[in-house]
Amino acid sequence: MEGHAARTRRGLSAAVIALALLLSLAVWLPPARGVAKDSLTIGLSSDASFINALIASDGQSYKVEWSVFDCLVAYDEALAIRPQLAESWDTSPDGLSYTFHLRKDIVWQDGRPFTADDVAFWMYSMLNPKVRAPSRAFFGGMAGYAELTNPDHPADPAGLPRKPVEVLNPSTVRLNLAYPYAAFLGVLTCPRGGIVPKHALEGKDMNTAEFNSRPVGSGPYRVVEWRKGESIALEAFDRYYGGRPPIRRLIFRIIPDPVVRTQALRTAGIDMLDDPPTDELDRFAKDPRYAVAGIYTPTYQYLGYRLDRPPFSDLRVRQAFSHAVDFDVIVRKVLRGYAVRATGPLPPTSWAYTPKVRRYPYDPEKAKGLLAEAGYTPGPDGIMQKDGRPLRFALKGDQGTQQIRDSAVIIQDQLARIGVAAEIRLLDFPTFVRQLFASDFEAILVGWTGHPDPDPFSYTIWHSSQWNGRNFAHYKNPEVDKALEDARRTMDRGARRAAYVKFQRLLADDAPYVWGYYPKEMYVFPKELRGVALIPAQAAVYQSLRTAVWQP
């Protein structure tokens, strides 16, 4: 009864908070739908961390940055590379140099001209070890990469025998590689390839600069206000080289509670619902007022661990968890079919995907047997223990994502059935991201953004050289390192695929994660909003907002 009362009190507290948030919507209501509008308000589950494409490391920041920064090139809806800041480019016969011819009509949002010097500054900042650039390893193929990124003695570019960047004239820049790199044009795309201006950041500490809150970009919208934890307001840039966007103002409202966020769409407090609760999608689909749009992107959900520490340094424990956690149940009950079960980090939509990897079917008895092999026995309280230490750990995740919250409870219950105690610790998204990249966790439940090309994230997450970067789980396997190196150093698609197939099989054998599912990226918005394009890259729908328009 005491536990029931505590749960009731918690439920009432949550209801009171939700009611208060709902009441607060009244001050935010835009003009009623059907009235001519020049703004678009989007509901996000959590805030951005930085609005600087060079140092941002989280999906929420990227969602804003799609509209603020442009890149040399961009993906279209067919994932073909098309011009953006560069109007064309030439590739040398040996594949080691890319010469980009920049548009001459581009100005930054403060009116200064965009030139090849900005591209050079951006690239050298990316390679500067003092700049916390999470995507630095994407550019590991650049000439001079090892020398320039040496944290103890970074080289001066002027002293390199072959420089990674050559400014040929104000509108022409050449980027040089150490080896042919098939993914190179792909890693130059937005949002992670967003170019930043030299004149606004030169000589400043990019990690702490005011620019990270009030940036100057070359994109179609400029940041005019950021109320941390509340909203981010963008206004159309009148001098944008691609023409001023039809929608004059974009507002990102931070609404962590998914129930309140959903209700905000129904009451016109927001116009677009990002990552809607799956149990609401069918209702919106039946409502003639709304459009429900979705697409599969290179994104996957997983249960992961710190692999260099017990108990997860033991393969048998990891395999036991893979047999004990039934993500098929989560796909049915939590995702309601808006996802497919994952077998590894590359989704079925990738040309490099293979389904022929080791599987771990749900089997609690087998899981118990593997724990016994690892030396675990039931303790007095039923929790498995070894050398007097119970198999108990903290499971961290983002509190603003309903799927994470629901999945964590199911996983906690499933693990309890084999004598494992998981303590759920849900954090606000910026805090969770900081702890994630600091490897400050025992276990995590998180969705990871992939890339249309398998290289950037396969290499930066799984190569052992990346422990201080995105390999925050501290995975290490020399055979995986070799496969990833082989895949990124050849232009031959067949050879690359063979290397990635080997990589996926090795990873499945190591069971570094419990692979969850590949979610379908979903959005809901009024049918009067036209021109929202679905691009099969994570959150790339935001790229299309520059051409979206209200048409009652």
Side-chain angles (χ1 to χ4, degrees):
M1 292 296 292
E2 184 176 327
H4 174 75
R7 287 194 297 273
T8 301
R9 286 194 297 272
R10 285 195 295 269
L12 287 173
S13 298
V16 170
I17 293 170
L19 178 60
L21 287 169
L22 281 170
L23 291 174
S24 72
L25 293 175
V27 301
W28 280 90
L29 291 180
R33 294 197 180 115
V35 178
K37 291 184 60 172
D38 63 358
S39 68
L40 175 68
T41 302
I42 301 157
L44 298 182
S45 62
S46 52
D47 207 347
S49 297
F50 304 99
I51 310 179
N52 178 342
L54 195 58
I55 66 171
S57 60
D58 61 281
Q60 300 300 79
S61 297
Y62 298 147
K63 290 173 183 178
V64 179
E65 289 165 1
W66 278 110
S67 299
V68 179
F69 300 97
D70 274 357
C71 300
L72 288 173
V73 294
Y75 279 117
D76 65 16
E77 292 176 59
L79 291 183
I81 299 290
R82 60 174 177 80
Q84 198 168 71
L85 296 176
E87 61 183 2
S88 65
W89 59 89
D90 305 310
T91 308
S92 63
D94 60 6
L96 296 180
S97 294
Y98 288 73
T99 303
F100 292 92
H101 307 281
L102 309 178
R103 294 180 61 123
K104 298 180 178 66
D105 57 348
I106 301 171
V107 295
W108 293 100
Q109 291 163 355
D110 60 2
R112 297 281 291 272
F114 166 77
T115 71
D117 285 331
D118 293 305
V119 179
F121 173 79
W122 164 76
M123 179 56 75
Y124 282 123
S125 298
M126 179 71 74
L127 301 179
N128 183 349
K130 294 181 180 179
V131 176
R132 293 197 297 268
S135 298
R136 179 174 297 122
F138 285 14
F139 300 91
M142 299 298 297
Y145 179 85
E147 296 87 346
L148 290 168
T149 61
N150 186 318
D152 299 317
H153 303 288
D156 182 344
L160 293 175
R162 187 163 182 263
K163 299 178 180 61
V165 187
E166 298 175 76
V167 174
L168 305 183
N169 58 55
S171 60
T172 312
V173 61
R174 179 174 295 148
L175 302 182
N176 296 315
L177 301 175
Y179 52 83
Y181 178 34
F184 184 58
L185 287 174
V187 300
L188 295 175
T189 60
C190 286
R192 298 169 189 86
I195 308 291
V196 296
K198 177 180 179 179
H199 70 271
L201 284 166
E202 188 174 31
K204 297 181 180 179
D205 181 352
M206 198 172 298
N207 304 314
T208 59
E210 183 182 357
F211 180 96
N212 300 335
S213 297
R214 292 295 297 270
V216 175
S218 59
Y221 289 90
R222 61 187 186 91
V223 177
V224 293
E225 184 179 42
W226 185 1
R227 297 180 183 178
K228 297 293 179 70
E230 295 182 13
S231 63
I232 303 171
L234 313 182
E235 283 187 354
F237 179 42
D238 289 339
R239 298 181 66 187
Y240 181 57
Y241 65 91
R244 193 191 75 189
I247 294 176
R248 293 287 298 179
R249 189 173 177 87
L250 297 182
I251 301 169
F252 295 87
R253 286 197 52 203
I254 316 306
I255 310 174
D257 189 291
V259 175
V260 176
R261 198 164 60 249
T262 302
Q263 186 62 15
L265 180 64
R266 291 195 168 99
T267 58
I270 62 175
D271 302 304
M272 178 182 284
L273 183 57
D274 174 284
D275 190 24
T278 53
D279 60 351
E280 295 284 354
L281 285 171
D282 289 343
R283 297 188 184 95
F284 280 117
K286 295 174 183 176
D287 192 322
R289 296 173 297 172
Y290 299 100
V292 175
I295 192 168
Y296 282 103
T297 68
T299 301
Y300 58 94
Q301 198 85 16
Y302 67 92
L303 167 64
Y305 334 98
R306 271 292 296 270
L307 298 165
D308 56 335
R309 294 178 179 175
F312 302 117
S313 54
D314 190 320
L315 173 61
R316 294 164 297 187
V317 173
R318 301 196 303 270
Q319 290 177 333
F321 276 41
S322 291
H323 283 296
V325 175
D326 187 359
F327 265 105
D328 287 325
V329 169
I330 292 172
V331 168
R332 290 197 308 271
K333 292 187 175 181
V334 178
L335 277 297
R336 299 175 186 270
Y338 291 97
V340 294
R341 182 68 192 274
T343 56
L346 303 183
T349 53
S350 171
W351 55 263
Y353 169 78
T354 178
K356 297 178 181 179
V357 298
R358 181 172 180 170
R359 306 293 182 99
Y360 297 87
Y362 179 61
D363 190 339
E365 293 306 312
K366 188 166 187 176
K368 291 177 183 178
L370 285 164
L371 291 180
E373 288 180 26
Y376 286 90
T377 58
D381 56 359
I383 303 300
M384 302 295 281
Q385 62 177 9
K386 180 179 180 180
D387 301 327
R389 299 184 63 179
L391 189 44
R392 185 188 306 273
F393 66 94
L395 175 59
K396 294 183 177 180
D398 171 26
Q399 68 181 10
T401 304
Q402 186 67 44
Q403 290 93 325
I404 294 290
R405 292 157 63 172
D406 294 342
S407 298
V409 173
I410 292 173
I411 290 171
Q412 182 185 53
D413 177 66
Q414 291 174 344
L415 290 176
R417 297 175 193 175
I418 64 166
V420 176
E423 177 193 348
I424 299 172
R425 295 182 188 174
L426 299 182
L427 309 168
D428 65 87
F429 190 68
T431 300
F432 176 67
V433 170
R434 285 195 299 272
Q435 295 187 10
L436 189 68
F437 275 82
S439 298
D440 180 14
F441 60 85
E442 293 176 281
I444 49 174
L445 184 61
V446 65
W448 192 257
T449 302
H451 192 279
D453 190 283
D455 173 80
F457 282 111
S458 295
Y459 186 89
T460 59
I461 294 174
W462 300 107
H463 196 280
S464 62
S465 67
Q466 302 301 305
W467 276 30
N468 292 325
R470 284 191 169 97
N471 187 352
F472 39 71
H474 293 174
Y475 176 78
K476 185 175 183 179
N477 182 327
E479 289 186 88
V480 166
D481 286 354
K482 176 67 163 54
L484 292 173
E485 290 161 9
D486 290 346
R488 73 170 6 198
R489 289 175 177 269
T490 178
M491 299 292 286
D492 182 83
R493 173 65 70 88
R496 293 189 76 204
R497 186 177 190 281
Y500 285 124
V501 167
K502 182 178 181 180
F503 156 69
Q504 291 168 83
R505 289 173 177 167
L506 289 167
L507 213 58
D509 291 343
D510 277 346
Y513 294 165
V514 180
W515 302 106
Y517 52 84
Y518 308 110
K520 196 171 188 180
E521 198 172 276
M522 302 300 300
Y523 301 89
V524 184
F525 45 87
K527 288 187 175 179
E528 293 85 359
L529 181 62
R530 314 286 184 175
V532 176
L534 297 177
I535 300 172
Q538 196 271 339
V541 66
Y542 290 99
Q543 181 173 281
S544 70
L545 297 186
R546 63 191 63 197
T547 54
V549 62
W550 287 105
Q551 291 182 345

